[in-house]
Amino acid sequence: DGGITQSPKYLFRKEGQNVTLSCEQNLNHDAMYWYRQDPGQGLRLIYYSQIVNDFQKGDIAEGYSVSREKKESFPLTVTSAQKNPTAFYLCASSPGTLNQLPTYEQYFGPGTRLTVT
Amino acid sequence: GEDVEQSLFLSVREGDSSVINCTYTDSSSTYLYWYKQEPGAGLQLLTYIFSNMDMKQDQRLTVLLNKKDKHLSLRIADTQTGDSAIYFCAESMAPYSSASKIIFGSGTRLSIRP
């Protein structure tokens, strides 16, 4: 089945440690995204990648880093510089305009809930 | 700037219709979306509407778009307990490069009363 997987579902870390969240897709999508969701708030874009080996900062990139070495994978590292890392993190992908699909819709993974104490 | 606004809560009786409203600010939006998020899960695309349409119906879902007022609504007919979720309105801008930028509202939590 095609889809997006995020692991683990729950992650606990001590303050000051870096942590990497996994995101994998087998939809053959060009574009991938990371969002952060806090209670009662919408999704805020952290980073996005249009194509392999390329990525851009979103609205709240400070304290985060990403890599896009493979089309299928877009891991997010939450560094110790992120002041308030506890949140629900969502990964998404979209075909991208390179595939001429017009709707620009994004497909989401199930999310990872990160708790830092 | 870009903004999508929706009310935070809606409570309806089982079997009634639910109407979730949304306003957006950017008149250059290409597509407008409704996503559903069940507890502890990712977002699932429910439906979308292209900005040159004013209505789209898909089984129990009806989307109405008033482009003049920049107002989008989602009507769920015969609301069931399984419709309990957070509903996000979103707009996509004219695409830049090959990735789409989608702006999400803060979500409306729909609860169903027996």
Side-chain angles (χ1 to χ4, degrees):
Chain A
D1 282 56
I4 302 178
T5 56
Q6 291 185 245
S7 60
K9 191 166 176 63
Y10 299 96
L11 194 51
F12 298 88
R13 279 295 183 272
K14 295 285 187 192
E15 198 173 318
Q17 293 178 336
N18 291 357
V19 59
T20 297
L21 281 60
S22 164
C23 177
E24 304 278 330
Q25 54 100 359
N26 61 4
L27 300 167
N28 199 33
H29 285 173
D30 287 312
M32 296 186 75
Y33 312 81
W34 274 105
Y35 292 92
R36 172 185 171 132
Q37 184 179 22
D38 294 284
Q41 296 191 34
L43 279 65
R44 292 185 289 169
L45 182 65
I46 304 172
Y47 268 97
Y48 67 96
S49 167
Q50 301 170 51
I51 202 163
V52 175
N53 293 322
D54 182 63
F55 50 83
Q56 284 81 38
K57 293 181 179 179
D59 301 319
I60 55 163
E62 187 175 344
Y64 299 98
S65 66
V66 292
S67 62
R68 187 85 188 277
E69 297 175 5
K70 298 187 298 180
K71 188 175 186 177
E72 305 79 30
S73 179
F74 191 41
L76 172 75
T77 297
V78 184
T79 76
S80 55
Q82 168 50 233
K83 296 282 187 288
N84 187 17
T86 294
F88 189 51
Y89 290 87
L90 286 160
C91 178
S93 69
S94 68
T97 58
L98 295 174
N99 287 332
Q100 305 302 312
L101 291 173
T103 63
Y104 313 119
E105 66 194 69
Q106 293 181 8
Y107 298 77
F108 283 81
T112 292
R113 187 167 296 281
L114 173 65
T115 302
V116 176
T117 57
Chain B
E2 311 144 351
D3 200 11
V4 177
E5 294 192 354
Q6 33 182 149
S7 54
L8 289 180
F9 299 100
L10 177 66
S11 176
V12 300
R13 196 178 302 277
E14 188 175 359
D16 287 353
S17 291
S18 306
V19 180
I20 304 171
N21 294 300
C22 166
T23 57
Y24 61 97
T25 56
D26 197 309
S27 57
S28 65
S29 295
T30 311
Y31 286 91
L32 294 130
Y33 309 86
W34 285 104
Y35 281 86
K36 177 183 180 182
Q37 184 181 34
E38 296 183 356
L43 275 67
Q44 171 196 356
L45 179 68
L46 279 180
T47 187
Y48 64 89
I49 188 166
F50 189 47
S51 56
N52 69 352
M53 298 168 63
D54 52 21
M55 186 181 106
K56 181 178 181 182
Q57 186 150 7
D58 183 3
Q59 299 183 337
R60 291 192 297 123
L61 305 179
T62 304
V63 178
L64 295 177
L65 175 60
N66 181 328
K67 201 172 179 183
K68 175 176 166 288
D69 295 338
K70 300 194 186 81
H71 182 265
L72 183 74
S73 69
L74 173 70
R75 179 176 178 269
I76 305 172
D78 186 24
T79 309
Q80 304 297 309
T81 54
D83 296 323
S84 293
I86 301 175
Y87 290 83
F88 289 92
C89 172
E91 60 173 345
S92 73
M93 321 308 293
Y96 53 83
S97 300
S98 64
S100 60
K101 183 177 181 183
I102 294 184
I103 308 297
F104 289 87
S106 55
T108 298
R109 183 180 295 275
L110 175 63
S111 63
I112 315 302
R113 309 190 299 272

